[in-house]
Amino acid sequence: MTSRKLLKDCFLTDKDRLSHEECLAILTGRLSAVAGVEERPLAKTSGRWLAADIIAPRNVPLHDNSAVDGYAFAAPATGPMPVVTRIAAGDLSSYRLKPGQAARIFTGASIPDGADTVAMQEDCMVEGDQVTVPLDLKRGSNARRAGEDVAAGSAVLQSAARLRPQDMAALASFGLARVKVRAPVRVAILSNGDELLEPGAEIAQGQVYDSNRAMLHALLGTMPCEVTDLGILPDNAALIEATLAEVAKTHDVILTSGGASRGDEDHIINAIDTLGTRHLWQIAVKPGRPMSFGQIEDCVFLGLPGNPVAAFVCFLLYVRPALTILGGGSYREPVRFPVAAGFDVSGKKPGRREFWRGWLEPGDDGRPVAHKFARDGSGLISGLRKATGLIEITESVTSVASGGMVSFLPFSEFGIDS
């Protein structure tokens, strides 16, 4: 018998309305990793969550080596020295210098025993087999010490860290060819509604193209996910229930947008209620107030608002943290950057956190100034396209004056290029 990976009721809350912090606390506190572990070649692990701590097996660099082309010797030099050997990078021979001797050496080559300093060739004078180096050169100059980058036995990366290109360079530098990482989170996305059309189809009165699914595909592409696109399901209750029941057996997450009410045609919501457990959260944020969270056994259901802006913002704020935890990653809050506002807003409702679409431009003094998209409608995709980030306005704020400080969350904090 396999043990349950998730709490039986991850998303249960006794509050009718949740704050932004309360919503995040539930997601990051009650969810747990469901993604499996696999060992992969290092070159195939970029962007994955680590499944085990990485401890350096050896020093990096492994040996003292020269940072420049020049001459190795034991400081301090007192005059001309005979050049007794030549050492190139990759030379495996062992050398030992006697006091007063020098070695011709090249960048990356091992510094021989008996030497502790390297003089740049541009600063040296060579006559025959004798070299004169700067007499005031400090001991240790131009020498890279063994372990100065990474010391053997030190913790390099912790489990649940996401592997970046620079991390992969570190792992390669001490010889790791394979790494244990989390498997991608298996996400099924779907849309539902007889009014929805695939892009490219002929449109008629009363129909609309399904834009959210393409957007969700792209957002999921910024994370280690394996996406199954179920397309647009028609308004057929039996078909939807059978599809979700089958998909839940082989996926970690079902992600939808729209249909958060309890109307006769909200078949996805009804199917989740029949097959598992669902909770409709009223979140005190704008845009994106209604969201559905639930599960069918160990498959998590995440139902985003239907308006594109609300779906986009709620994905960043809530779905992304959920997928991070489910994938075995370590969630961190996005960095907020305090900047001056280049706009005025009055009459904001208290008790609600708002996320406005915005971008930064240099002010008169060269410092960044936040600008807000003029219209706040949740269906205006043009606002998302113009924006390079979100302007976060907390619950207690009711107005913003030009020149006042606001918090800016660049999309790069969510893995999206501006």
Side-chain angles (χ1 to χ4, degrees), residues 74-416:
T78 58
M81 295 177 288
V83 180
V84 298
T85 191
R86 180 182 185 277
I87 310 172
D91 192 336
L92 302 180
S93 302
S94 178
Y95 300 95
R96 175 174 289 277
L97 300 183
K98 295 178 181 179
Q101 292 181 332
R104 177 70 165 118
I105 196 167
F106 297 90
T107 303
S110 295
I111 294 176
D113 292 341
D116 54 26
T117 305
V118 179
M120 293 180 63
Q121 62 185 17
E122 298 93 322
D123 299 331
C124 299
M125 183 174 65
V126 179
E127 293 182 321
D129 62 355
Q130 300 280 311
V131 62
T132 301
V133 303
L135 300 183
D136 59 350
L137 199 60
K138 293 182 179 179
R139 187 186 305 274
S141 293
N142 302 314
R144 302 182 182 127
R145 297 303 176 191
E148 72 172 21
D149 187 10
V150 180
S154 63
V156 179
L157 290 167
Q158 291 185 329
S159 177
R162 192 172 182 188
L163 279 176
R164 305 167 300 167
Q166 55 267 49
D167 298 322
M168 296 174 68
L171 301 188
S173 72
F174 45 76
L176 284 187
R178 300 183 67 83
V179 182
K180 288 184 178 180
V181 293
R182 290 283 185 173
V185 178
R186 299 166 299 176
V187 182
I189 61 173
L190 63 95
S191 298
N192 166 231
D194 289 341
E195 78 282 6
L196 295 179
L197 289 177
E198 293 283 4
E202 290 293 329
I203 193 167
Q205 186 71 27
Q207 295 181 313
V208 61
Y209 288 116
D210 181 10
S211 60
N212 281 359
R213 208 168 86 253
M215 179 177 70
L216 294 178
H217 250 299
L219 288 169
L220 290 168
T222 67
M223 304 190 70
C225 295
E226 182 181 285
V227 181
T228 301
D229 188 346
L230 301 179
I232 301 171
L233 299 185
D235 287 324
N236 182 309
L239 173 63
I240 290 172
E241 184 173 327
T243 299
L244 294 186
E246 192 64 28
V247 168
K249 298 175 184 177
T250 56
H251 289 76
D252 304 311
V253 175
I254 296 172
L255 179 62
T256 68
S257 62
S261 63
R262 294 304 304 268
D264 292 340
E265 297 301 318
D266 293 328
H267 299 305
I268 292 179
I269 297 301
N270 295 331
I272 297 295
D273 290 344
T274 299
L275 298 170
T277 305
R278 182 191 62 87
H279 300 283
L280 176 64
W281 289 2
Q282 294 293 321
I283 305 173
V285 300
K286 180 184 178 181
R289 184 168 55 89
M291 289 190 64
S292 292
F293 295 83
Q295 62 193 107
I296 304 173
E297 296 295 337
D298 286 327
C299 181
V300 171
F301 170 74
L302 303 173
L304 291 166
N307 286 323
V309 174
F312 182 91
V313 171
C314 286
F315 183 98
L316 300 187
L317 298 179
Y318 309 119
V319 174
R320 188 176 176 86
L323 292 176
T324 296
I325 301 299
L326 293 169
S330 176
Y331 171 72
R332 70 162 181 85
E333 276 283 300
V335 177
R336 277 96 166 149
F337 295 89
V339 296
F343 55 87
D344 296 285
V345 171
S346 60
K348 173 192 169 289
K349 291 182 179 180
R352 181 174 70 187
R353 187 167 302 204
E354 299 194 7
F355 295 88
W356 302 336
R357 278 72 70 204
W359 62 94
L360 301 181
E361 293 181 3
D364 294 338
D365 59 359
R367 297 179 180 179
V369 174
H371 295 270
K372 174 184 176 297
F373 192 70
R375 296 170 292 163
D376 293 328
S378 292
L380 300 176
I381 298 175
S382 55
L384 288 178
R385 295 180 57 245
K386 174 69 174 178
T388 60
L390 300 175
I391 301 168
E392 181 178 20
I393 308 299
T394 57
E395 290 82 354
S396 61
V397 175
T398 57
S399 64
V400 176
S402 181
M405 301 303 290
V406 294
S407 293
F408 187 77
L409 287 75
F411 287 152
S412 57
E413 283 294 296
F414 303 98
I416 301 171

